Amino acid sequence: SDIVAGIEYATQKGADVINLSLGGYSDSITLKTILATASETAVVVGGAGNDNGETPFYPAAYEDYVLAVASTAISDTKAATSNYGSWVDVSAPGEVITTTFDGSSYGASSGTSLSAPFAAGLAGLLKSQHPDWSANMIQAQIIQTADDISASNPSHEGKLGSGRLNAAQAITTNAQ
């Protein structure tokens, strides 16, 4: 209920992008309902989960409402722990990412909770450059301009989305 309340609050305040680096394997009609509303005006991004499995991970697996992000290593291969599946939309770096920690320190961490913010940041950048674009247009631009990484992931072909985010392509390619 706290997650639903947070999404509702962000939507009411006019958020253009909502990042959900959280989740689990239980489907929730309440969560799905609020995401249906939120996704009308905001790009909703979700981490695919970190169990090296193909089982849909929610809220990322709500295909009509959330941009699902898997995690990759520096070599563009699927990160060892990243979930995957036909429900994933795109991939982003997610191994050994420098981030903040409690106590005003920095360090490396890994997981789709680090990958999803890359996609959310790109969504925000696109919205800042194209304030007239809908959430669906921004999401489509991110998906369509990703770099295909299938050759590096033959055992996960079609299960890491359209590829790894490419911010430069996303901001310089005309929308389709």
Side-chain angles (χ1 to χ4, degrees):
S1 63
D2 288 342
I3 295 166
V4 170
I7 295 166
E8 185 174 40
Y9 179 82
T11 302
Q12 290 172 350
K13 294 297 182 183
D16 293 318
V17 180
I18 300 171
N19 183 68
L20 299 171
S21 289
L22 51 81
Y25 295 99
S26 296
D27 191 353
S28 164
I29 190 66
T30 305
L31 182 58
K32 187 174 184 178
T33 300
I34 193 66
L35 289 171
T37 300
S39 67
E40 291 175 9
T41 56
V43 178
V44 181
V45 180
N50 305 305
D51 295 315
N52 189 31
E54 197 167 349
T55 302
F57 187 81
Y58 298 97
Y62 291 125
E63 297 182 53
D64 293 335
Y65 311 120
V66 181
L67 180 71
V69 184
S71 179
T72 59
I74 195 167
S75 60
D76 273 344
T77 56
K78 183 189 84 61
T81 61
S82 181
N83 288 353
Y84 54 91
S86 60
W87 50 273
V88 171
D89 296 304
V90 72
S91 297
E95 280 195 342
V96 195
I97 305 298
T98 300
T99 188
T100 55
F101 287 104
D102 287 340
S104 302
S105 65
Y106 296 89
S109 192
S110 300
T112 62
S113 290
L114 287 296
S115 302
F118 281 111
L122 180 53
L125 178 61
L126 285 168
K127 185 65 174 180
S128 73
Q129 291 190 332
H130 305 281
D132 57 321
W133 282 14
S134 69
N136 284 339
M137 280 185 75
I138 292 169
Q139 187 169 331
Q141 184 75 354
I142 291 170
I143 292 169
Q144 292 171 2
T145 58
D147 289 336
D148 184 6
I149 57 173
S150 297
S152 300
N153 297 280
S155 62
H156 294 94
E157 190 167 350
K159 297 179 181 180
L160 296 174
S162 61
R164 186 210 355 94
L165 293 180
N166 185 326
Q169 288 284 51
I171 62 173
T172 59
T173 301
N174 290 330
Q176 300 291 317

